[in-house]
């Protein structure tokens, strides 16, 4: 009974021919064995080479090849034409997915995972909480971190609550089932499972197989489940479907978050629930096939979703991201699952028949999923209205749809449950509730024989595989699934997790607690009473104007960066036109670095206090004023006097820079809902690099070596900045009339609190809740060892990168490169950097390993900088030298540009909530500006003296210093403060809601 079922399939052996021969419908996608899959791979690879690689290589080598006319024009025209065709093809295919990602539908309403407490009589509460538990853990779970989390989080937290802990590691496949069946449960308050849904599945099946708790016994009020110890789950698996139902990311964070991104916080949350000792019984599904029965606690899959487990097995090194890769692969194949017939009994007792056999009126299906809860995995909320103890399971049918574009769009929407509200959802997705279901797979090879197949004749059924809770099993052609109401006892937190399906109460973390963790009725810094009814339970609204606001900001930020970099690509032309030295030309860009630090804190304070509108008006106004003064100086003055006038005008525009570069997080927060905040912040943050890329190309395109065209360039750039400012004045607004999210409301209230100050001088409590001054926060940040490592690494890396952008022409011209080459190299660093930022965002999203991501960026940048130092002396006249230079510079941009957003996010993870985001970004950027300014002054002296090669090696050394600095960052420190703060908020909110007395501890760490 406790042994591993004989119809279990070893996924790792499924690629063997003899194993596949036993299961006819297993069809694995591989380039060698699947002709259709090979065509997909070859087609994608060919398109990428034809429409992206060849044009980029052609444009990069155009100047080095020195082809006779008209070949350069033909190569350029062909390259741009191929790029345009490739862009159109990609946009045409991915347009629905891109549109759904940029402007996704609102997520489905949040439904508690358990029914209202009064509707489930199995709820129980231990008088003194749990007292002794056995922790069953898979040592290989959580990317091998199970043992570490057990020793550092789970055991200390349980013992802190007075719980005695017994550690029980699993030793082989199926051992967890044996533990559940055979372990002595005497004196245990519960079993805690550290692993994924598969480990929980094995333990639960072992428990339910015990005498007196067998399948089919006791169906009322939990039946024999009451005699079994409750199960707790610390999720460390790849899917974590059941834990995600209880975690309810949509309610906590506004978006689905992979549990791998916050393992320690999730482990603390799960352990706290066990220590509380509150339990109830949830449903299980009884699955019968090949004469055997087993229990499913989360999900059962057929077709594509089942095959994904098999396809993703060789990609385990990718973590949870392997399922996304395998899923997209399956959608690109768009191969229907095997023909089947389904007979199910609905909650009202009615019978319904479904099929995907076209001769019987059906349509092709990709996959079937049977689930008790809302999630397929921790980032896919596919059945958003399911509840775990309502006695009903849901059959989800993923259909083939009209085309692959529609399927890719649907795949993106599954994460938040938004698919249930889109028009024509029935074309690609359907949810059917049931209490009992039989699915049969006819063995006929064509529609006629399939229609003639009778499920009573087993010889006419086709065996295959299916997936139960992450474990792959073999079936004999027929599978029966029945819901067993309230059969498994689990640890729960009813205050958080119980509620009516369509009468959603405010969750506990938003109820009875204010944004700054003070009790209801306490006074805010402005002297007003916090009220949960107005602070967190109000209706939020999203306005379509948010995209226009973001576009206006991007225009202003890009315009400012155009002004910054104007003179760097044409420094020799500027020096000749105004009779100044190259060092003076460098000063025209250096002033942006020099003036950033003294004005960044004032800009951050203005953004927080007066709002985005006034800060953007100030920033765009100063940029437009500086650009206009440049035109006046160039038109009315001559020689060195005009140069000094340009320098003064650059200073004016430089003062406006921090008002723009420090704004993206604030703008994204006050205008965008939580599920769109990340994309808004990313787009806003990338607008300055895009402006810098334009600033590299525009001077060379308009001026080149013609000194008489400088004024024309300045007029064009002034027109851009003035147009941006004129658009901001009448159209840009600080915030929408109604906040789009709870965090936006909190942000607005904090700004109001800062503006109004305490209600009275005697209100010491309110005064104590005020945000610390900028200098206090700065001192606290700089005293932290790990933040200091990030700040030093960022300062050297970004400062050196800024130096390269400022002196690009002076560094490459001695080796035979022209101003046009310098502009192209500068633009290449930005373009490659945009792709690098996107790549690092994906990597960081899957791994959440900030230290490794930063170290990888610095390592790649170090190699690229020394490669550039070695390649440039080869000269532009050799094809090898030009190719190496372009590759090195592209790699440098690809690896260094992502350092800014990753370092900012790392800083927030290290110091939140003690230090504000604006202060952290100001400290990092300020250090980078100082290093860049000092390094530029040193390098321009060396270049003037003829030591250009030495300057190149100094750039390599500067980035190497960043690599050394980041090596002192301790990976365990990243996110530690935030996790402690989250735990404190959770515990304080529980005390408040449950009638706890006393003032909660301050959230400051």
């Amino acid at each position: 009974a406790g042994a591993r079922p004989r119809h279990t399939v070893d996924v790792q052996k499924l690629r063997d021919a003899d194993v596949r021969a036993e299961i006819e419908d297993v069809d694995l996608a591989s380039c060698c064995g699947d002709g259709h899959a090979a065509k997909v791979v070859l087609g994608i690879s060919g398109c990428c080479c034809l429409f992206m690689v060849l044009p980029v290589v052609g444009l990069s080598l155009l100047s080095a090849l020195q082809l006779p006319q008209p070949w350069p024009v033909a190569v350029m025209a062909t390259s741009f034409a191929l790029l345009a065709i490739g862009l159109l093809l990609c946009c045409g295919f991915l347009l629905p997915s891109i549109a759904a990602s940029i402007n996704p539908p609102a997520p489905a309403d949040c439904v508690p995972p358990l029914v209202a407490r009064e509707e489930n009589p199995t709820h129980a509460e231990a008088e003194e909480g749990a007292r002794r538990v056995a922790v069953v853990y898979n040592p290989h779970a959580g990317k091998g971190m199970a043992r570490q989390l057990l020793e550092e989080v789970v055991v200390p937290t349980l013992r802190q609550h007075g719980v005695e802990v017994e550690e029980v590691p699993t030793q082989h496949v199926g051992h967890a089932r044996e533990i559940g069946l055979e372990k002595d449960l005497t004196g245990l308050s519960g079993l805690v499972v550290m692993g994924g849904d598969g480990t929980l599945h094995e333990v639960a099946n072992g428990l339910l197989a015990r005498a007196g708790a067998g399948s089919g016994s006791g169906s009322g009020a939990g039946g024999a489940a009451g005699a079994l110890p409750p199960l707790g789950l610390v999720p460390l698996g790849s899917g974590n479907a059941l834990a995600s139902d209880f975690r309810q990311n949509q309610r906590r964070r506004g978006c689905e978050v992979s549990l791998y991104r916050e393992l320690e916080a999730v482990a603390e949350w799960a352990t706290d629930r066990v220590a509380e000792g509150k339990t109830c019984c949830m449903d299980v599904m009884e699955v019968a096939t090949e004469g055997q029965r087993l229990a499913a606690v989360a999900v059962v899959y057929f077709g594509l979703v089942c095959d994904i487990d098999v396809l993703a097995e060789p990609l385990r090194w990718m973590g949870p991201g392997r399922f996304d890769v395998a899923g997209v692969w399956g959608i690109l194949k768009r191969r229907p699952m095997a023909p089947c017939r389904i007979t199910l009994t609905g909650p009202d007792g009615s019978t319904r028949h479904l099929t995907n056999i076209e001769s019987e009126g059906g349509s092709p299906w990709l996959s079937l999923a049977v689930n008790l809860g809302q999630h397929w995995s921790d980032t896919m909320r596919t059945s958003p209205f399911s509840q775990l103890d309502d006695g009903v399971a849901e059959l989800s049918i993923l259909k083939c749809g009209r085309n692959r574009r529609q399927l890719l769009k649907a795949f993106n929407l599954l994460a938040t449950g938004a698919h249930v509200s889109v028009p024509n959802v029935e074309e690609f997705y359907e949810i059917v509730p049931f209490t009992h279901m039989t699915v049969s797979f006819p063995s006929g090879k064509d529609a006629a024989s399939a229609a003639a197949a009778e499920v009573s004749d087993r010889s006419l059924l086709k065996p295959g595989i299916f997936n139960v809770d992450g474990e792959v099993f073999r079936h004999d052609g027929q599978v029966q699934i029945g819901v067993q109401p309230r059969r498994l006892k689990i640890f729960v937190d009813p205050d958080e997790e119980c509620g009516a399906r369509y009468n959603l109460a405010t969750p506990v973390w938003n109820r009875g607690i204010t944004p700054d963790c003070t009790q209801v009725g306490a006074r805010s810094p402005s002297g007003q009473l916090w009220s949960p009814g107005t602070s967190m339970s109000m209706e939020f609204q999203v306005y379509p104007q948010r995209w226009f606001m973001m576009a206006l900001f991007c225009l202003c930020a890009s315009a400012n960066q155009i002004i910054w970099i104007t003179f760097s690509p044409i420094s020799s032309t500027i020096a000749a036109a105004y009779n100044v030295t190259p060092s003076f030309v460098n000063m025209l860009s250096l002033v942006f670095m020099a003036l950033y630090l003294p004005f960044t804190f004032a800009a951050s304070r203005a953004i927080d206090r007066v709002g985005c509108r006034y800060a953007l008006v100030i920033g765009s106004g100063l940029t437009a004023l500086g650009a206009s003064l440049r035109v006046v100086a160039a038109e009315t003055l001559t020689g060195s006097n005009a140069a000094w006038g340009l320098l003064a005008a650059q200073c004016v525009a430089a003062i406006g820079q921090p008002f723009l570069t420090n704004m993206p997080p604030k703008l994204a927060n006050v205008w965008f809902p939580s599920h769109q905040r990340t994309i808004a912040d990313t787009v806003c943050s990338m607008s300055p690099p895009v402006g810098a890329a334009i600033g590299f190309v525009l001077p060379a395109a308009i001026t080149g070596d013609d000194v008489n065209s400088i004024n024309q360039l300045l007029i064009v750039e002034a027109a851009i900045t003035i147009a941006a400012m004129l658009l901001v004045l009448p159209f840009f607004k600080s915030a929408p009339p109604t906040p789009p999210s709870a965090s936006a409301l909190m942000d607005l209230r904090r700004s109001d609190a800062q503006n109004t100050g305490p209600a009275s001088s005697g209100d010491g409590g309110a005064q104590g809740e005020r945000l610390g001054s900028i200098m206090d926060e700065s001192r606290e940040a700089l005293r932290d060892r790990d933040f200091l490592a990030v700040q030093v690494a960022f300062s050297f890396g970004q400062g050196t990168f800024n130096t390269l952008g400022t002196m690009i022409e002076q560094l490459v011209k001695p080796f035979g490169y022209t101003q046009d080459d310098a502009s192209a190299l500068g633009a290449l660093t930005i373009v490659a950097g945009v792709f690098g930022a996107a790549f690092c965002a994906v990597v960081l999203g899957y791994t959440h390993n900030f230290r490794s991501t930063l170290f990888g960026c610095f390592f790649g940048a170090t190699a690229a900088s020394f490669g550039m130092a070695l390649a440039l002396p080869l000269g532009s006249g050799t094809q090898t030298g030009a190719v190496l230079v372009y590759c090195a510079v592209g790699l440098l941009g690809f690896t260094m540009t992502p350092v800014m957003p990753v370092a900012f996010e790392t800083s927030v993870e290290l110091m939140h909530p003690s230090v504000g985001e604006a202060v952290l970004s100001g400290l990092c950027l300020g250090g980078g500006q100082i290093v860049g300014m000092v390094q530029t002054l040193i390098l321009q002296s060396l270049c003037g003296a003829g030591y250009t090669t030495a300057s190149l090696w100094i750039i390599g050394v500067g980035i190497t210093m960043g690599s050394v600095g980041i090596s002192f960052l301790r990976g365990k420190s990243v996110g530690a403060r935030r996790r402690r703060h989250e735990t404190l908020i959770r515990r304080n909110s529980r005390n408040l809601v449950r009638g706890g007395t006393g003032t909660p501890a301050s959230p400051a760490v």
Side-chain angles (χ1 to χ4, degrees), residues 417-450:
H419 58 286
V420 299
S421 60
V422 300
N424 302 321
V425 62
E426 66 280 354
E427 293 183 358
F428 59 85
Y429 199 84
E430 184 178 359
I431 300 176
V432 184
F434 72 93
T435 57
H436 187 274
M437 181 181 82
T438 300
V439 54
S440 304
F441 295 87
S443 61
K445 302 300 182 181
D446 52 47
S449 57

Side-chain angles (χ1 to χ4, degrees), residues 435-487:
T435 57
H436 187 274
M437 181 181 82
T438 300
V439 54
S440 304
F441 295 87
S443 61
K445 302 300 182 181
D446 52 47
S449 57
E454 295 292 339
V455 296
S456 58
D457 186 353
R458 295 284 172 169
S459 64
L460 298 177
L461 296 176
K462 181 180 180 181
I465 62 172
F466 69 120
N467 185 300
V468 180
D469 295 334
E471 300 287 324
V472 178
F473 296 89
R474 184 179 68 250
H475 64 75
D476 58 4
Q478 185 180 90
V479 180
Q480 296 183 355
I481 302 174
V483 179
Q484 297 290 315
R486 297 164 190 169
R487 296 286 295 115

Side-chain angles (χ1 to χ4, degrees), residues 136-138 170 176 193-204 471:
V136 181
Y137 68 97
N138 178 359
T170 59
V193 179
M194 289 187 66
D197 293 326
T199 307
L200 179 66
H201 165 88
E202 292 192 354
V203 174
E471 300 287 324

Side-chain angles (χ1 to χ4, degrees), residues 187-318:
L188 285 181
S189 302
L191 286 174
V192 179
V193 179
M194 289 187 66
D197 293 326
T199 307
L200 179 66
H201 165 88
E202 292 192 354
V203 174
N205 274 271
L207 284 176
L208 294 175
R210 284 175 176 261
S215 177
S217 64
S219 58
L228 299 173
L231 285 179
L233 175 62
V234 179
L236 299 178
S238 300
N240 305 309
L242 185 63
S244 299
D245 282 345
F246 290 113
R247 181 74 173 167
Q248 300 177 90
N249 284 325
Q250 281 286 339
R251 296 173 78 178
R252 289 182 179 274
R253 304 189 180 282
C255 62
E256 293 296 336
V257 180
S258 172
L259 301 188
Y260 270 96
R261 292 182 55 181
E262 44 185 23
L263 278 179
E264 291 189 24
V266 171
E268 281 189 36
W269 161 81
T271 307
D272 279 343
R273 297 167 75 248
V274 172
E276 290 285 331
K278 296 184 178 182
T279 63
C280 79
C281 294
M282 62 169 281
D283 304 336
V284 296
M285 293 182 287
E286 185 184 71
V287 182
T289 187
E290 292 193 356
Q292 286 192 308
R293 300 176 185 270
L294 68 154
V297 297
V299 285
V300 179
Y301 299 124
F302 300 89
L304 171 63
V305 183
C306 173
D307 296 343
I308 285 175
D309 245 12
V310 180
L311 299 176
E313 185 64 26
L315 306 176
R316 277 193 169 271
W317 56 271
M318 295 179 62

Side-chain angles (χ1 to χ4, degrees), residues 263-581:
L263 278 179
E264 291 189 24
V266 171
E268 281 189 36
W269 161 81
T271 307
D272 279 343
R273 297 167 75 248
V274 172
E276 290 285 331
K278 296 184 178 182
T279 63
C280 79
C281 294
M282 62 169 281
D283 304 336
V284 296
M285 293 182 287
E286 185 184 71
V287 182
T289 187
E290 292 193 356
Q292 286 192 308
R293 300 176 185 270
L294 68 154
V297 297
V299 285
V300 179
Y301 299 124
F302 300 89
L304 171 63
V305 183
C306 173
D307 296 343
I308 285 175
D309 245 12
V310 180
L311 299 176
E313 185 64 26
L315 306 176
R316 277 193 169 271
W317 56 271
M318 295 179 62
R322 68 184 187 273
F323 296 110
D324 292 333
V325 173
V328 172
W329 182 272
I331 288 175
L332 289 176
K333 286 185 63 179
R334 196 167 166 253
R335 183 171 183 175
M337 64 176 290
C340 66
R341 299 190 188 96
I342 298 175
T343 301
L344 51 81
T345 303
D348 59 356
S350 61
T351 301
R352 184 175 176 183
H353 300 279
L354 303 171
T355 184
N356 63 346
I357 302 174
E358 296 187 27
S359 63
E360 300 179 12
S363 60
W365 298 339
L366 282 178
S367 185
L368 300 175
V370 183
N371 47 281
L372 290 170
Q374 302 176 15
H375 288 78
W376 283 358
S377 69
D378 53 4
T379 57
M380 297 193 76
R381 186 167 161 249
T382 53
S383 184
F385 305 123
S386 299
Q387 293 184 298
L388 293 166
D389 59 343
D390 59 357
V392 177
E394 281 75 27
L395 168 65
S396 299
I397 305 174
L398 182 61
K399 304 178 182 181
C400 287
R402 292 195 301 264
N403 48 53
R404 292 182 178 89
R405 295 169 57 195
Q406 186 186 49
L407 285 176
L408 286 174
K409 177 182 178 180
F411 190 76
N412 288 332
L413 298 180
L414 291 178
T416 63
H419 58 286
V420 299
S421 60
V422 300
N424 302 321
V425 62
E426 66 280 354
E427 293 183 358
F428 59 85
Y429 199 84
E430 184 178 359
I431 300 176
V432 184
F434 72 93
T435 57
H436 187 274
M437 181 181 82
T438 300
V439 54
S440 304
F441 295 87
S443 61
K445 302 300 182 181
D446 52 47
S449 57
E454 295 292 339
V455 296
S456 58
D457 186 353
R458 295 284 172 169
S459 64
L460 298 177
L461 296 176
K462 181 180 180 181
I465 62 172
F466 69 120
N467 185 300
V468 180
D469 295 334
E471 300 287 324
V472 178
F473 296 89
R474 184 179 68 250
H475 64 75
D476 58 4
Q478 185 180 90
V479 180
Q480 296 183 355
I481 302 174
V483 179
Q484 297 290 315
R486 297 164 190 169
R487 296 286 295 115
L488 184 66
K489 185 186 291 187
I490 56 173
F491 286 105
V492 299
D493 188 339
D495 294 317
E496 290 189 5
E497 297 155 2
C498 292
R501 182 172 301 186
Y502 298 108
N503 183 20
L504 305 182
T506 305
V508 68
W509 48 87
N510 289 346
R511 191 187 324 123
I513 187 168
T514 66
D516 54 358
C517 299
T518 58
Q519 289 179 335
V520 174
R523 288 191 175 273
S524 70
S526 61
Q528 299 175 344
L529 288 175
W530 293 113
S531 168
T534 57
S535 64
M536 306 302 288
S537 301
M538 67 175 295
E539 293 292 330
F540 302 116
Q541 186 172 349
V542 178
Y543 296 84
Q545 296 95 323
R546 65 192 184 281
W547 301 106
F548 184 54
M549 302 302 150
M550 183 178 71
L552 289 177
F553 168 80
C554 291
L555 177 61
C556 294
S558 298
N560 183 269
Q561 295 302 291
I562 291 174
I563 301 302
W564 162 57
I565 207 67
T566 297
F567 303 108
S568 294
I570 53 172
S571 60
S572 58
T573 302
I574 297 298
Y578 297 110
N579 194 26
V580 293
T581 63

Side-chain angles (χ1 to χ4, degrees), residues 914-953:
S914 304
V915 183
E917 294 91 335
V919 175
L920 295 172
S921 61
L923 289 173
C924 289
L925 286 171
Q929 303 288 24
I930 292 174
V931 171
M933 183 171 56
V934 172
Q935 200 172 53
T936 301
L937 293 175
I938 295 175
L939 262 61
Q940 69 183 14
S941 299
L942 291 175
C943 290
Y947 296 104
T948 308
T949 302
S951 300
L952 295 174
W953 286 99

Side-chain angles (χ1 to χ4, degrees), residues 455-775:
V455 296
S456 58
D457 186 353
R458 295 284 172 169
S459 64
L460 298 177
L461 296 176
K462 181 180 180 181
I465 62 172
F466 69 120
N467 185 300
V468 180
D469 295 334
E471 300 287 324
V472 178
F473 296 89
R474 184 179 68 250
H475 64 75
D476 58 4
Q478 185 180 90
V479 180
Q480 296 183 355
I481 302 174
V483 179
Q484 297 290 315
R486 297 164 190 169
R487 296 286 295 115
L488 184 66
K489 185 186 291 187
I490 56 173
F491 286 105
V492 299
D493 188 339
D495 294 317
E496 290 189 5
E497 297 155 2
C498 292
R501 182 172 301 186
Y502 298 108
N503 183 20
L504 305 182
T506 305
V508 68
W509 48 87
N510 289 346
R511 191 187 324 123
I513 187 168
T514 66
D516 54 358
C517 299
T518 58
Q519 289 179 335
V520 174
R523 288 191 175 273
S524 70
S526 61
Q528 299 175 344
L529 288 175
W530 293 113
S531 168
T534 57
S535 64
M536 306 302 288
S537 301
M538 67 175 295
E539 293 292 330
F540 302 116
Q541 186 172 349
V542 178
Y543 296 84
Q545 296 95 323
R546 65 192 184 281
W547 301 106
F548 184 54
M549 302 302 150
M550 183 178 71
L552 289 177
F553 168 80
C554 291
L555 177 61
C556 294
S558 298
N560 183 269
Q561 295 302 291
I562 291 174
I563 301 302
W564 162 57
I565 207 67
T566 297
F567 303 108
S568 294
I570 53 172
S571 60
S572 58
T573 302
I574 297 298
Y578 297 110
N579 194 26
V580 293
T581 63
S583 299
F584 188 93
V585 178
N586 291 337
M587 286 298 299
L588 297 175
S589 298
L590 275 177
V591 292
F592 278 77
M593 304 181 190
L595 295 178
Y596 180 87
L597 188 60
F599 287 96
T600 182
F601 298 112
S604 298
R605 197 168 183 84
I607 292 171
D608 285 335
R609 289 207 168 194
V610 301
C612 293
R613 171 176 169 77
Y614 294 102
L616 190 60
V617 168
I618 293 172
S620 61
L622 289 172
T623 303
L625 178 60
S628 301
L629 290 176
R630 296 194 313 175
V631 175
V632 173
E635 293 286 351
T636 59
L637 301 175
T638 58
S640 60
N641 292 330
W644 283 103
L646 292 176
L647 181 61
Q650 289 287 96
C651 291
V652 174
I655 296 173
Q657 181 187 20
F659 290 90
L660 301 170
T661 56
N662 294 359
M663 192 184 296
K666 176 85 170 183
L667 179 67
N669 192 41
V670 299
W671 268 104
F672 286 81
S674 52
H675 64 281
Q676 294 178 346
R677 196 176 302 143
T678 300
I679 185 66
D681 199 353
T682 301
V683 172
C684 290
S685 298
M686 292 310 297
S687 57
V690 171
I694 297 173
F696 272 114
V697 175
L698 198 60
I702 296 178
T703 303
D705 296 326
D706 185 9
V707 296
N708 296 321
S709 301
I710 295 177
N711 290 7
Q712 181 182 353
L713 170 66
L714 299 180
I715 291 172
V716 170
E717 294 185 345
I720 294 174
T721 60
I722 293 173
M725 182 194 66
L726 292 178
L727 286 173
V728 166
L729 288 174
F731 297 117
F732 192 85
K733 299 178 182 178
S734 256
T738 303
S741 65
S743 61
L745 179 62
M746 292 164 56
D747 196 314
L748 294 173
R749 285 188 166 170
R750 289 183 186 274
S751 298
D752 176 69
Q754 289 179 333
N755 286 329
T756 58
S760 65
S761 59
D763 193 357
Q767 178 70 24
E769 292 294 335
R770 295 191 63 186
L771 295 177
S773 68
I774 292 179
M775 295 307 298

